[in-house]
């Protein structure tokens, strides 16, 4: 490897690792729904690690201890590796995804519903009292589920706050609902997650979670304006 | 190609062709039920569609690709097991329509 290439590769490593934490990391969940998604990710990750290790062990045995594997017939490999191994793995993963996924859904109505309209290339939030937030910041109470009713004005965008939950498309003429919840007060970054034109990469927004009484006071102040 | 091979070949593709048709049907019923608001009828319709979808797959899974007296070929054996796989895949993959949340 050339020195330049080597320096580039080594230099890029921290950027890759930096993807594991930070403002837009799904692996750094800050609410119950994001925690479900992170858990699903870890289940899949460790599942794939175990399977990969198993395959590699068989691979090395085939090379270095081929006598050990010689007593297995092709039928053993087909039935064992093709049916007995993958079916429970797939059933388990699908079951996990179904159970964790069901818990993400907005069953019934959350006490607070906030309207979201995406347009190229900004986000506009509307509180229940009719007040709009112009500066691409949305305030929510911490520790409570909040339903976001999401739509778009022009093209399809996607609403995503990785540390609070999954993402959902913002579709013109249609309202999609996603329920998010932050465990603690804080700032959580969101990003448009569906390519929507040249301003897509800067289509950020912020979710500010406050203690419920602070949030209630903010709403009262706003309503008077 | 002999008549026996012809039949086995048709049976080989029949199971998973029906499987994919049933998949699209269940998907459509789920979406249409939400769009048109079938309410409390939605789930029973999905469950009935689930059971009905499995009937032709079950018939194929028990269908012998070679008629009595005809020798078993690798094609007929493949057809039999492909159809059994389609039946089991149907039971398993469609199962969530009977309980998972359909509309939000
Ligand atoms: Cu966008």
């Amino acid at each position: 490897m050339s020195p330049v290439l080597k320096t580039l590769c080594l230099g890029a490593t921290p950027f890759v690792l930096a993807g594991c934490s930070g403002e837009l990391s799904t692996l750094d969940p800050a609410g119950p729904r994001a925690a479900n998604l992170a858990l699903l990710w870890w289940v899949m990750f460790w599942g794939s690690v175990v399977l990969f290790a198993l395959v590699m062990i068989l691979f090395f045995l085939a090379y270095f201890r081929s006598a050990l594997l010689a007593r297995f017939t092709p039928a053993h490999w087909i039935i064992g590796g093709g049916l007995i191994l993958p079916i429970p793995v797939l059933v388990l993963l699908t079951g996990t995804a179904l159970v964790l996924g069901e818990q993400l859904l907005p069953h019934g109505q959350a006490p607070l519903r906030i309207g979201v309209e995406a347009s190229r290339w900004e986000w506009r939030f509307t509180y229940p009292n009719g007040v709009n937030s112009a500066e691409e910041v949305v305030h929510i109470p911490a520790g409570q589920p909040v339903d976001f009713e999401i739509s778009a004005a022009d093209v399809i965008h996607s609403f995503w706050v990785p540390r609070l939950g999954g993402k959902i498309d913002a579709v013109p003429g249609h309202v999609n609902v996603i329920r998010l919840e932050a465990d603690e007060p804080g700032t959580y970054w969101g990003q448009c997650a569906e390519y929507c034109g040249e301003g897509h990469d800067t289509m950020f927004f912020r979710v500010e979670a406050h203690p419920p009484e602070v949030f209630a006071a903010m709403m009262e102040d706003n309503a008077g304006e | 190609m002999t008549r026996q091979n012809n039949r086995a070949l048709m049976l080989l593709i029949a199971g998973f062709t029906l499987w994919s048709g049933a998949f699209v049907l269940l998907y459509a019923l789920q979406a249409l039920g939400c769009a048109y608001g079938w309410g409390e009828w939605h789930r029973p319709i999905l469950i009935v569609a689930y059971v009905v979808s499995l009937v032709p797959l079950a018939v194929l899974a028990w269908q012998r690709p070679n008629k009595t007296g005809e020798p078993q070929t690798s094609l007929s054996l493949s057809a039999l097991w492909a159809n059994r796989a389609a039946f089991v895949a149907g039971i398993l993959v469609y199962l969530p329509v009977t309980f998972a949340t359909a509309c939000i």
Side-chain angles (χ1 to χ4, degrees):
Chain A
M1 199 184 276
S2 80
V4 179
L5 199 60
K6 193 172 179 182
T7 314
L8 269 179
C9 286
L10 288 177
T13 309
F15 291 105
V16 177
L17 292 178
C20 298
S21 69
E23 300 294 358
L24 291 170
S25 173
T26 50
L27 299 185
D28 190 12
R33 285 174 175 73
N36 265 20
L37 293 168
L39 176 63
L40 181 60
W41 190 92
W42 284 110
V43 168
M44 295 210 170
F45 173 76
W46 286 112
S48 67
V49 166
V50 170
L51 286 178
F52 182 74
L54 192 70
V55 171
M56 283 298 120
I57 289 169
L58 289 174
F59 184 63
F60 280 103
L61 284 178
Y63 265 96
F64 300 111
R65 294 280 185 280
S66 46
L68 275 177
L69 300 181
R71 57 204 168 109
F72 294 107
T73 64
H76 284 137
W77 292 110
I78 292 171
I79 305 290
L83 289 174
I84 295 174
L85 184 67
I87 288 176
V89 169
L90 290 176
V91 168
L92 216 66
L93 283 180
T94 311
T96 312
L98 267 173
V99 170
L100 292 174
E102 279 284 330
Q103 294 168 1
L104 301 181
L105 300 176
H107 292 289
Q109 286 216 343
L112 177 62
R113 298 168 80 80
I114 297 177
V116 182
E117 193 182 58
S119 56
R120 280 173 295 179
W121 288 276
E122 57 189 23
W123 298 92
R124 197 177 170 79
F125 300 96
T126 310
Y127 296 101
N129 59 18
V131 174
N132 287 315
S133 126
E135 69 270 32
E136 310 205 328
V137 178
V138 60
H139 301 279
I140 62 167
Q144 294 177 12
V146 180
D147 280 353
F148 290 86
E149 299 176 325
I150 297 155
S151 193
D154 38 38
V155 299
I156 297 178
H157 301 267
S158 186
F159 179 89
W160 193 26
V161 189
R163 294 191 62 207
L164 297 186
K167 61 178 172 242
I168 198 160
D169 277 2
V171 183
H174 181 80
V175 176
N176 276 331
V177 180
I178 192 169
R179 184 166 296 175
L180 299 181
E181 182 175 340
D183 289 331
E184 301 289 332
T187 300
Y188 306 99
W189 282 86
Q191 154 88 71
C192 178
E194 175 76 39
Y195 182 70
C196 56
E198 58 182 3
H200 167 72
D201 61 325
T202 54
M203 200 169 153
F204 288 102
F205 60 96
R206 269 180 6 244
V207 177
E208 303 263 8
H210 306 276
E213 60 280 6
V214 174
F215 177 78
M218 285 174 84
M219 285 295 105
E220 269 175 30
D221 286 354
N222 265 338
E225 278 170 19
Chain B
M1 188 174 262
T2 66
R3 201 184 45 79
Q4 192 204 344
N5 273 346
N6 242 332
R7 183 181 145 81
L9 190 62
M10 292 306 288
L11 284 170
L12 179 67
I13 52 174
F16 275 102
T17 306
L18 279 173
W19 184 92
S20 47
F23 188 95
V24 173
L25 173 81
L26 289 167
Y27 219 128
L29 287 176
Q30 186 256 315
L32 290 173
C34 295
Y36 292 110
W38 291 347
E40 60 189 19
W41 284 100
H42 199 186
R43 186 67 69 191
I45 288 171
L46 284 171
I47 293 173
V48 169
Y50 172 72
V51 175
V52 169
S53 303
L54 291 176
V55 172
L57 290 173
V59 170
L60 280 177
W62 268 278
Q63 184 100 11
R64 288 270 156 194
N66 44 328
K67 295 200 173 111
T68 33
E70 286 175 347
Q72 193 172 59
T73 60
S74 53
L75 192 60
S76 69
L77 196 64
S78 307
L80 182 63
W81 283 99
N83 288 337
R84 288 178 176 173
F87 177 55
V88 175
I91 295 176
L92 209 63
V93 174
Y94 307 153
L95 185 65
V97 303
T98 62
F99 64 86
T101 303
C103 316
I104 46 171

